[in-house]
Amino acid sequence: MKHEKRNIPPGWDYNPSRWGERIPIVILALGGTGIAVYLSLYQLNILSNVWEPFFGKGSEIILNSSVSHILPIPDAALGAFAYLLDVVTGVIGGQRRWRTMPWMVVVFGLAVGPLGFISILLVILQPVLLDAWCTLCLASAVVSIAMIGPAMDEMLASLQYLKRVKDSGASVWKAFLGSESERKKIT
């Protein structure tokens, strides 16, 4: 228990890098990866049909729209890559990574945050531009949005740590990269 308290950032009442905080995000990201891979298989014409229980041809309209193919690769494939990046960056590092690996926490936060923003944007575009809805796209957006809060908490803890490093006069860059010598200067 004493060891656990040492891992809690100053001013916090819990450790945002604790496995209990990160594993649910990783599980959600794995679910998002599965959804995005399935949708990208349809967009790449590997699957001839896409599952759509509520909105008739809505998923086909959205997945075959010009918005979905605005980039050289289908948007669902980009989503699958982003979710996979969330999984990898979510499992790397221990329970003190908010101060031992701030760079990883920032990469994780940047991977989760923009993905959530893009999901919200795509959900808004579905009815506005295409007059259609896609059940699995909505499910993917819910997954992305659910991941944002916990990931941003951990990123906030790392940014607060880097501010304390700066205030102490130690090298923020070295601390960002995980230098133990810089960590010792502020503890």
Side-chain angles (χ1 to χ4, degrees):
M1 189 68 183
K2 195 173 186 178
H3 180 69
E4 178 74 24
K5 282 191 169 188
R6 276 192 356 217
N7 295 334
I8 298 174
W12 290 62
D13 58 359
Y14 73 100
N15 177 2
S17 294
R18 196 173 64 89
W19 285 114
E21 299 292 326
R22 289 169 33 206
I23 290 298
I25 300 172
V26 170
I27 291 170
L28 284 171
L30 283 170
T33 303
I35 292 170
V37 166
Y38 173 76
L39 295 175
S40 64
L41 290 175
Y42 173 76
Q43 287 183 315
L44 294 169
N45 295 321
I46 296 170
L47 296 176
S48 58
N49 297 312
V50 63
W51 183 72
E52 177 47 77
F54 303 115
F55 304 112
K57 298 281 185 190
S59 291
E60 291 178 17
I61 292 169
I62 289 170
L63 295 171
N64 293 316
S65 71
S66 59
V67 174
S68 293
H69 295 280
I70 201 164
L71 297 173
I73 61 171
D75 61 346
L78 286 174
F81 173 77
Y83 280 122
L84 201 54
L85 181 64
D86 295 342
V87 170
V88 171
T89 57
V91 297
I92 293 175
Q95 298 192 65
R96 297 179 302 140
R97 77 178 195 160
W98 61 268
R99 69 176 174 206
T100 60
M101 300 177 76
W103 66 274
M104 182 56 65
V105 173
V106 169
V107 169
F108 179 59
L110 292 176
V112 171
L115 177 64
F117 174 75
I118 290 170
S119 292
I120 292 168
L121 183 65
L122 290 175
V123 166
I124 292 170
L125 288 178
Q126 288 180 13
V128 172
L129 291 181
L130 305 169
D131 195 26
W133 293 94
C134 165
T135 301
L136 290 177
C137 303
L138 292 172
S140 177
V142 169
V143 166
S144 294
I145 292 168
M147 293 168 37
I148 292 174
M152 292 304 109
D153 280 357
E154 189 181 24
M155 191 160 130
L156 177 62
S158 284
L159 294 176
Q160 288 174 340
Y161 164 72
L162 293 173
K163 179 166 184 342
R164 286 192 301 279
V165 168
K166 180 183 177 195
D167 292 345
S168 73
S171 169
V172 175
W173 181 247
K174 287 180 181 176
F176 180 72
L177 296 176
S179 168
E180 188 174 335
S181 63
E182 300 307 303
R183 229 180 4 254
K184 288 180 178 175
K185 291 178 182 175
I186 65 160
T187 54

